Amino acid sequence: MRFNLKVMVRSFGRAGALVGAVLATGCSSQRPAPDPVPYLDDASFRRSNLVASLVNPGNSYSTLRLAHYATGDSNDWDRLPEWNPAAEPIAATELDADGGAPPSALSDAAAPLMLPESVVSPDDPELVALGAQAFSRYPTQLAAYFVTALASRSAAASYGLWIDDVRGVGGLVRARMADGSVAVALTCSTCHAAPGAEGAIAPGLPNHNLNIGQAILDAPGSALDAATARAMVAWGPGRLDVTTTTGTEPARIPDLRPVQWLTFLQQDATLRVVDPTTLAIRIETLIITSNNDVVRPPRVVALGLAAYLASLAAALPSPTAAAAVSPQGAAVFAAQCTGCHAAPDLTGAPVPLSIIGTDPTLGLSAVRGTGTYRVPSLHGVGSRGPLLHDGTLPSVGAMFDSARTTPSFTGKLHGSGAVAGHTYGLDLPDGDRAALIEFLEAL
Ligand code: HEC
Ligand code: HEC
């Protein structure tokens, strides 16, 4: 199942228009034309998509959504107020002012997202443009704990917030709250954007320097119990626990550039991608739960974000170009790896924890676990940063270092010693292994 929003939707859009035209010219059965964007206005469509996508309906990620998403009853999140507040990015130059960026003063330039009046087809270019805006403008979660980091450029950098003259400070925004006050919030780009090889901020690239755990611990008035504080210190940069309240199941921030190829979402394969709606629902419910279930995003914003994420793949290198860099590496890959990382999407069906053998904590989670790990798409893996669901390996070179599974290995991030599991390719002859690494680094 290929997740290609553009292609799917283009054919849907045309078919819809055609059927509409035929009906208009006098077909007596009066069947309504198919709704071109049912995600936006058909609750039963959204409900069935959600149900079909949940891999383990018994985990608490699933039960929460089953209880509240498009249910039609009094618990329905559809009844929450739609939230599109005035917001503005915090500018890099604000950090140079005495005392840093003011957390609570909104300038005249602050504005809500401009929403299209209507969306006639899911491949409407306005959707991608809206998604691009929302990615770095829409307040996904309040983050008062970042106020300390806004004191100066060096404070911001010490928590791994990126600083960019055009895009601002770590994707943080100030937003107008319902009571008129102003609060600092994260956007998708706080976690899911980072400086690329040329230094410019690359959307979709994981921010592997971001140390959210440390920022929360250092916030004035933070009152965490000792066990949670210890767990959060262990997150380190580039990881956070989006699962439990105890902080004990950190995951790395994933690379969103290859999202359009994924057949399962989240590293523990929580969601089966039924069609592009699955990603839109995942984003919509993420924003609801991140805002404590009191507001919901305009659905067109979630749809725009999904369309925008799908468009990010266009900037990744092609496997053909990578194969030209190392034909030998491409041949080794085809022989050893495509059983799971299947061409052309370089992903495949989730793998049981007992087979893959990497740290099972996240896969066994009562909150999101499915007993498997998702096979990451390897498109973009050469520039991805830390690897595996828990981000314990710094690079492709470390992943295929044959010393990695021994206790004397020194390359582990977030801990020390051996990194178990995913032993494929570790026993290759040196020449083949070097060629394989060269091929992967070019992807
Ligand atoms: C505070 C950091 C943070 C913010 C902000 C954030 N995410 Fe994420 N995101 C994560 C982490 C960590 C995961 C990994 C969860 C997992 O694999 O179980 C993730 C996973 C995802 C995934 C699944 C990717 C995959 O490989 O399966 C998508 C899609 C996604 N995020 C989109 C978004 C969008 C869109 C926004 C903004 C509305 C956003 N995220 C905001 C940290 C963040
Ligand atoms: C049995 C299925 C399977 C085979 C065979 C396999 N992989 Fe994987 N691969 C996975 C799974 C599952 C993960 C994710 C594991 C995790 O996150 O704990 C993964 C992760 C990776 C990653 C890390 C990507 C990331 O974003 O973290 C790389 C690189 C990789 N595989 C390359 C290869 C190469 C090269 C081969 C062949 C030598 C190979 N794999 C063979 C299933 C497989």
Side-chain angles (χ1 to χ4, degrees):
M1 184 180 10
R2 195 181 168 88
F3 179 19
N4 188 327
L5 186 72
K6 279 230 142 105
V7 172
M8 286 194 53
V9 166
R10 210 168 278 142
S11 38
F12 270 132
R14 291 232 179 87
L18 200 62
V19 174
V22 170
L23 288 174
T25 52
C27 171
S28 60
S29 70
Q30 292 290 311
R31 260 188 296 145
D35 184 345
V37 200
Y39 166 73
L40 289 176
D41 48 28
D42 182 344
S44 65
F45 173 87
R46 288 188 287 115
R47 178 73 186 179
S48 39
N49 200 287
L50 172 83
V51 170
S53 71
L54 296 170
V55 169
N56 174 4
N59 64 25
S60 56
Y61 180 93
S62 301
T63 52
L64 181 70
R65 281 155 182 77
L66 289 170
H68 294 282
Y69 191 74
T71 56
D73 63 24
S74 60
N75 290 323
D76 195 339
W77 281 335
D78 284 10
R79 297 180 175 210
L80 296 174
E82 210 178 79
W83 199 49
N84 180 20
E88 65 182 350
I90 294 177
T93 48
E94 293 183 52
L95 298 176
D96 302 328
D98 223 9
S104 59
L106 217 52
S107 82
D108 292 344
L113 293 171
M114 290 264 288
L115 306 182
E117 302 239 309
S118 65
V119 175
V120 287
S121 77
D123 69 342
D124 195 328
E126 269 195 88
L127 273 179
V128 176
L130 171 64
Q133 282 266 320
F135 191 74
S136 52
R137 289 287 294 270
Y138 188 82
T140 297
Q141 185 169 41
L142 299 187
Y145 51 82
F146 269 128
V147 166
T148 322
L150 293 175
S152 65
R153 284 185 189 247
S154 61
S158 73
Y159 292 102
L161 292 170
W162 43 264
I163 301 172
D164 184 81
D165 288 341
V166 179
R167 291 179 182 258
V169 182
L172 298 179
V173 293
R174 275 181 292 255
R176 172 88 60 211
M177 301 291 105
D179 66 0
S181 66
V182 171
V184 173
L186 304 172
T187 66
C188 312
S189 69
T190 305
C191 296
H192 292 295
E198 276 89 50
I201 300 301
L205 202 61
N207 182 358
H208 57 81
N209 291 322
L210 184 69
N211 202 334
I212 282 213
Q214 198 61 51
I216 296 173
L217 288 168
D218 293 351
S222 112
L224 295 166
D225 62 78
T228 310
R230 252 195 323 278
M232 286 175 72
V233 169
W235 294 0
R239 306 200 307 174
L240 60 143
D241 185 340
V242 287
T243 316
T244 69
T245 48
T246 48
T248 48
E249 295 174 9
R252 69 145 173 210
I253 301 170
D255 184 356
L256 297 187
R257 297 170 305 168
V259 155
Q260 77 141 321
W261 286 296
L262 294 177
T263 47
F264 286 80
L265 293 174
Q266 296 174 185
Q267 291 159 134
D268 37 10
T270 322
L271 295 165
R272 182 182 297 108
V273 177
V274 179
D275 64 26
T277 307
T278 305
L279 179 57
I281 294 175
R282 194 266 178 205
I283 294 170
E284 183 187 353
T285 61
L286 161 84
I287 294 175
I288 293 171
T289 56
S290 299
N291 284 299
N292 298 325
D293 312 0
V294 295
V295 288
R296 66 179 179 84
R299 263 192 286 280
V300 69
V301 169
L303 192 66
L305 280 165
Y308 174 62
L309 294 186
S311 77
L312 296 178
L316 290 173
S318 82
T320 322
V325 171
S326 178
Q328 187 188 349
V332 174
F333 184 79
Q336 306 267 335
C337 315
T338 48
C340 291
H341 301 275
D345 302 344
L346 310 185
T347 183
V351 181
L353 301 175
S354 58
I355 293 179
I356 197 69
T358 50
D359 185 316
T361 311
L362 194 67
L364 294 171
S365 167
V367 181
R368 289 151 68 120
T370 59
T372 65
Y373 282 129
R374 184 271 303 285
V375 176
S377 169
L378 298 182
H379 286 288
V381 75
S383 54
R384 183 165 296 169
L387 300 177
L388 297 180
H389 69 276
D390 51 358
T392 43
L393 286 168
S395 63
V396 169
M399 177 121 181
F400 295 97
D401 177 345
S402 51
R404 151 164 86 74
T405 55
T406 63
S408 57
F409 180 61
T410 53
K412 185 176 181 183
L413 301 175
H414 315 293
S416 60
V419 176
H422 196 291
T423 50
Y424 320 106
L426 289 182
D427 55 357
L428 285 168
D430 285 351
D432 279 354
R433 207 172 55 240
L436 177 65
I437 292 171
E438 200 181 9
F439 168 70
L440 294 169
E441 282 174 342
L443 277 175

